[in-house]
């Protein structure tokens, strides 16, 4: 028996999450059993710890959309006991039981060997949010980052913190947008050269085009924020759209695309093929300074997760929560 966060649907239709003991034979069938060491808290985890938000199909459910650990048993020749592995995506923690447990059983195709230079704790300090931040930076690079500041929205959150640290380490000026002024010193320590108040973007003129300002953008917020930012991009610059923490709507016009050649790049971390995942993890090990990653970490244990899940949905989590599932 081992510990896991189990989300159950009660008779009144509401869900509740608690630490419970479960057994290995309850795990879903798949090729590789992993002794999980660390997991983390992403926005989607907040949804899955709660009522599911349309992501969870069946209860009882073990959430946790990412984890890192050591292979315990494997029916697939690519992995053997003792191998260190990391998992993000593939709807693990949503439709398949995930990483909020001391053991997980998953398909070999969904795993990536831990890259040199990262341990399992660091890999989860990065987690899905940081992996996605790297994918966003790579997408901007593929389309060319212009001179001048690169904007990061939702900067004090998980995606934003990692994007800020990576872009700054790559030598870009980073303008970090936050609704929490108290995080300014934290963001400057991650490498932000400019702190932009959330209202400064949200309360601009709402004209379809404004001054050409940003050389690129990683946007974790969507909604009004993304609509405003599109009109502030330099000619031919790109926005990597990652998330919808500020809303799923997009009250924008086509003008920035037509008159400024702005590129809107959609980033999906969930269904990334193996080669892309490997390439992104290798770039993370190379381009994300580990001292900055340490500064983002908030340690947690399984029992903290119900509260942290509610917190991340309210935009209250700073940086990256790293869950030691064995503590
Ligand atoms: P976090 O909650 O850690 O960060 C989101 C940040 O957005 C908050 O910290 C806050 O930053 C800002 N924010 C929150 N609410 C609002 C609002 N109403 N208006 C403006 N800004 C707001 O989440 P993550 O960084 O983990 O994820 C960010 C988004 O990216 C989520 O929507 C998530 O689902 C998505 N995502 C998408 C992935 C993909 O594959 N495309 C993968 C991972 C995440 P601040 O306090 O600094 O203003």
């Amino acid at each position: 028996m081992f510990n896991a966060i189990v989300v159950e649907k009660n008779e009144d239709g509401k869900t509740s999450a608690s630490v419970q003991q479960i057994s290995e034979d309850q795990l879903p069938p798949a090729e590789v059993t992993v002794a999980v060491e660390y997991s983390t808290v992403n926005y989607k985890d907040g949804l899955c710890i709660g009522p599911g938000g349309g992501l969870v199909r069946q209860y009882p459910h073990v959430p946790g959309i990412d984890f890192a650990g050591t292979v315990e048993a494997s029916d697939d020749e690519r992995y053997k006991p003792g191998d260190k592995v990391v998992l993000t995506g593939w709807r693990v923690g949503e439709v398949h039981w995930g990483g909020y447990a001391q053991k997980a059983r998953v398909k070999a195709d969904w795993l990536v060997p831990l890259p040199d230079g990262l341990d399992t704790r660091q890999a989860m300090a990065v987690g899905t949010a940081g992996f996605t931040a790297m994918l966003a930076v790579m997408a901007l690079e593929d389309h060319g980052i212009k001179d001048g500041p690169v904007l990061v929205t939702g900067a004090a959150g998980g995606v934003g913190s990692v994007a800020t640290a990576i872009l700054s380490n790559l030598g870009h000026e980073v303008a970090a947008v936050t609704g929490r002024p108290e995080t300014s010193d934290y963001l400057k320590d991650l490498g932000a050269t400019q702190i932009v108040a959330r209202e400064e973007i949200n309360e601009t003129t709402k004209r379809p085009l404004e001054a050409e300002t940003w050389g690129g953008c990683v946007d974790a917020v969507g909604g009004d924020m993304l609509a405003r930012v599109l009109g502030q991009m330099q000619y031919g610059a790109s926005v990597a759209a990652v998330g919808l923490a500020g809303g799923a709507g997009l009250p924008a016009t086509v003008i920035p695309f037509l008159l400024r050649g702005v590129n809107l790049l959609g980033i999906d971390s969930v269904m990334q093929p193996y080669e892309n995942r490997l390439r992104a993890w290798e770039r993370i090990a190379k381009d994300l300074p580990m001292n900055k990653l340490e500064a983002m970490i908030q340690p947690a244990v399984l029992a903290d997760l119900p509260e942290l899940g509610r917190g991340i949905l309210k935009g209250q989590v700073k940086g990256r929560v790293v869950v030691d599932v064995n503590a």
Side-chain angles (χ1 to χ4, degrees):
M1 301 290 279
F2 56 89
N3 292 332
I5 288 280
V6 178
V7 184
E8 291 170 308
K9 195 156 225 169
N10 306 321
E11 279 170 13
D12 60 5
K14 294 192 173 145
T15 52
S16 56
S18 59
V19 180
Q20 296 185 18
Q21 291 256 300
I22 62 171
S23 65
E24 205 160 316
D25 54 20
Q26 288 175 268
L27 292 175
E31 299 103 34
V32 186
T33 306
V34 178
V36 177
E37 290 163 25
Y38 296 96
S39 186
T40 174
V41 181
N42 296 278
Y43 194 85
K44 262 189 187 170
D45 291 315
L47 297 174
C48 294
I49 290 171
L55 301 172
V56 177
R57 296 286 157 76
Q58 270 191 321
Y59 294 91
H61 177 66
V62 175
I65 67 165
D66 48 21
F67 62 78
T70 305
V71 171
E72 199 172 86
S74 172
D75 294 336
D76 187 288
E77 60 186 17
R78 286 169 287 176
Y79 295 99
K80 57 180 191 319
D83 287 348
K84 297 284 184 190
V85 288
V86 56
L87 180 143
T88 60
W90 302 97
R91 312 210 63 195
V92 171
E94 301 174 43
V95 294
H96 188 95
W97 282 13
Y100 289 171
Q102 291 170 316
K103 287 185 196 205
R105 198 180 287 135
V106 293
K107 285 193 172 191
D109 284 344
W110 299 339
L111 292 164
V112 170
L114 197 68
D116 289 343
L118 286 181
D119 62 27
T120 50
R121 179 174 163 278
Q122 290 165 328
M124 277 304 102
V126 175
T128 302
F131 171 72
T132 307
M134 188 76 242
L135 291 176
V137 171
M138 289 162 70
L140 292 183
E141 288 174 344
D142 286 348
H143 288 76
I145 299 178
K146 308 288 174 194
D147 288 341
V150 178
L151 195 71
V152 175
T153 69
V159 173
S161 294
V162 180
T164 298
I166 292 172
L167 285 162
S168 154
N169 192 51
L170 290 169
H172 299 286
E173 270 180 69
V174 180
V177 184
T178 183
R180 290 180 279 178
E182 67 277 15
T183 63
S184 294
D185 287 345
Y186 163 77
L187 291 168
K188 284 181 190 158
D189 288 346
L190 295 183
T193 44
Q194 190 182 340
I195 306 298
V196 181
R198 194 186 286 176
E199 307 78 53
E200 271 183 59
I201 305 277
N202 273 351
E203 291 169 11
T204 48
T205 60
K206 304 200 176 170
R207 281 200 295 266
L209 290 180
E210 298 176 57
E212 290 185 48
T213 308
W214 316 117
C217 172
V218 175
D219 173 55
V221 169
D224 285 341
M225 174 87 69
L226 175 55
R228 296 285 84 72
V229 164
L230 287 170
Q232 301 175 0
M233 301 306 294
Q234 292 179 25
Y235 190 89
S238 302
V239 178
V242 166
L244 41 63
L250 183 56
T253 76
V254 291
I255 306 291
F257 307 110
L258 303 183
L259 298 188
R260 292 243 175 102
V262 170
N263 302 302
L264 181 56
L265 314 172
I267 305 299
D268 170 45
S269 65
V270 177
M271 305 308 252
Q272 286 292 325
Y274 178 78
E275 288 307 323
N276 292 5
R277 279 180 282 145
L278 205 57
R279 204 158 59 89
W281 279 106
E282 282 166 0
R283 281 286 308 270
I284 287 163
K286 183 164 130 326
D287 291 329
L288 176 60
M290 288 304 127
N291 61 338
K292 290 189 179 173
L293 187 64
E294 284 299 323
M296 295 174 208
I297 295 177
Q298 271 191 61
V301 298
L302 283 177
D304 299 327
L305 283 166
E307 195 182 334
L308 285 166
R310 286 189 289 275
I312 198 162
L313 295 182
K314 292 183 192 148
Q316 291 168 345
V317 169
K318 188 177 90 179
R320 299 286 301 136
V321 177
V322 177
V323 185
D324 181 345
V325 302
N326 297 302

